[in-house]
């Protein structure tokens, strides 16, 4: 039986995790820089590029996931824990899309097109609308904070399985030689 996630699923999990944590940190740092500066502008651009990259990789990841079943959970795991793990994973998948999409539409509503890596402009799907921008800013904030709370739960669960249960759950998502 398959013991681990596929190499592709593992690579996408960790790449997306690093980008989300990076975009989150940058988001907090950049919004706390007072006034206007080139550094602030640069951080906003990096934040948007990292976020859009998460969106693209999440689409790839979801497609991959639809065609590759994950390995079965350990036999002895109680039903409520299986349910909680599945529910949490579903929510994280939803937020991997909802968080960057809300940031993207907020930016457009505020009147700024997104120029990906300063190379090409991404589609301007809505017109400038400052009232909508205020709402989307709050939506982006609360979705992001909900995601942060769920990621903390997710990491706590992963560490509990690795350190207390030692049931191999963590190993399924770590790069290793045999698949
Ligand atoms: C995984 C993806 C993302 C995460 C985790 C994330 C996280 C955050 C965080 C933590 C903040 C600071 C919230 C605050 O204190 O107000 C923020 C603000 C912001 N984000 Fe994102 N974001 C993501 C994607 C995006 C994308 C794709 C865009 C646009 C293309 C974007 C545009 C913005 C903007 C413009 C702000 C500043 C809001 C303000 O002026 O207060 N974000 N984001
Ligand atoms: C922003 C950060 C993260 C997000 C969005 C995230 C999301 C996810 C999702 C959606 C899954 C389910 C994969 C699937 O079935 O297709 C998963 C699995 C997993 N994640 Fe994360 N993850 C993050 C960070 C982490 C971190 C930091 C750790 C370790 C400390 C971790 C450990 C694991 C493990 C061990 C699994 C496999 C669980 C199982 O076998 O059922 N994740 N993650």
């Amino acid at each position: 039986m398959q013991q681990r996630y596929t190499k592709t699923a593992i690579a996408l999990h960790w790449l997306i995790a690093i980008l989300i944590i990076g975009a989150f940190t940058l988001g907090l740092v950049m919004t706390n820089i007072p006034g206007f500066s080139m550094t602030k502008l640069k951080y906003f651009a990096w934040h948007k590029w990292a976020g859009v990259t998460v969106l693209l990789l999440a689409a790839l990841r979801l497609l991959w996931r639809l065609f590759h079943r994950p390995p079965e959970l350990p036999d002895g795991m109680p039903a409520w824990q299986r349910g909680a793990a599945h529910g949490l994973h579903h929510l994280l998948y939803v937020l991997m899309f909802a968080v960057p999409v809300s940031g993207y539409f907020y930016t457009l509503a505020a009147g700024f097109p997104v120029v990906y890596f300063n190379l090409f402009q991404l589609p301007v799907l809505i017109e400038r609308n400052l009232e909508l921008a205020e709402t989307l800013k709050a939506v982006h904030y609360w979705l992001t904070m909900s995601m942060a709370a769920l990621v903390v739960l997710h990491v706590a669960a992963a560490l509990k399985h690795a350190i207390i249960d030692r049931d191999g759950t963590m190993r399924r998502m770590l790069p290793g030689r045999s698949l």
Side-chain angles (χ1 to χ4, degrees):
M1 205 198 44
Q2 183 195 344
Q3 299 292 323
R4 295 171 192 267
Y5 281 87
T6 60
K7 282 182 180 155
T8 309
I10 293 173
L12 285 169
H13 174 270
W14 292 108
L15 192 57
I16 291 174
I18 290 167
L19 283 169
I20 288 178
I21 293 166
F24 182 82
T25 311
L26 208 51
L28 294 184
V29 170
M30 73 191 193
T31 48
N32 277 303
I33 299 175
F36 179 85
S37 69
M38 287 316 282
T39 308
K40 188 170 178 175
L41 215 61
K42 192 169 68 184
Y43 287 178
F44 265 70
W46 289 354
H47 176 79
K48 292 172 191 175
W49 299 340
V52 170
T53 310
V54 167
L55 184 59
L56 298 174
L57 291 175
L60 210 72
R61 180 173 180 186
L62 184 62
L63 267 179
W64 184 265
R65 175 67 159 81
L66 293 176
F67 296 102
H68 299 82
R69 281 178 67 83
E72 296 296 327
L73 288 166
D75 281 341
M77 194 187 269
W80 73 266
Q81 273 188 26
R82 291 169 182 270
H86 286 145
L88 192 51
H89 291 166
H90 273 101
L91 277 175
L92 287 172
Y93 268 109
V94 171
L95 288 166
M96 263 185 265
F97 289 89
V99 166
V101 165
S102 62
Y104 187 67
F105 279 97
Y106 160 57
T107 304
L108 293 180
F112 302 100
V114 180
V115 186
Y116 196 43
F117 290 107
N118 276 345
L119 288 176
F120 50 90
Q121 186 179 312
L122 298 178
V124 179
L125 300 167
I126 52 168
E127 284 178 8
R128 183 166 184 262
N129 177 341
L130 295 183
E131 220 172 285
L132 178 65
E134 274 313 301
T135 309
L136 288 176
K137 183 165 144 176
V139 169
H140 187 54
Y141 178 83
W142 285 111
L143 285 177
T144 302
M145 294 306 151
S146 313
M147 186 185 222
L150 293 181
V151 167
V152 168
L153 259 181
H154 174 69
V155 172
L159 293 179
K160 185 224 174 227
H161 281 286
I163 297 165
I164 299 174
D165 303 339
R166 295 168 184 266
D167 58 8
T169 307
M170 187 73 173
R171 212 163 40 237
R172 295 141 49 92
M173 197 40 111
L174 291 176
R177 254 179 294 164
S178 61
L179 264 183

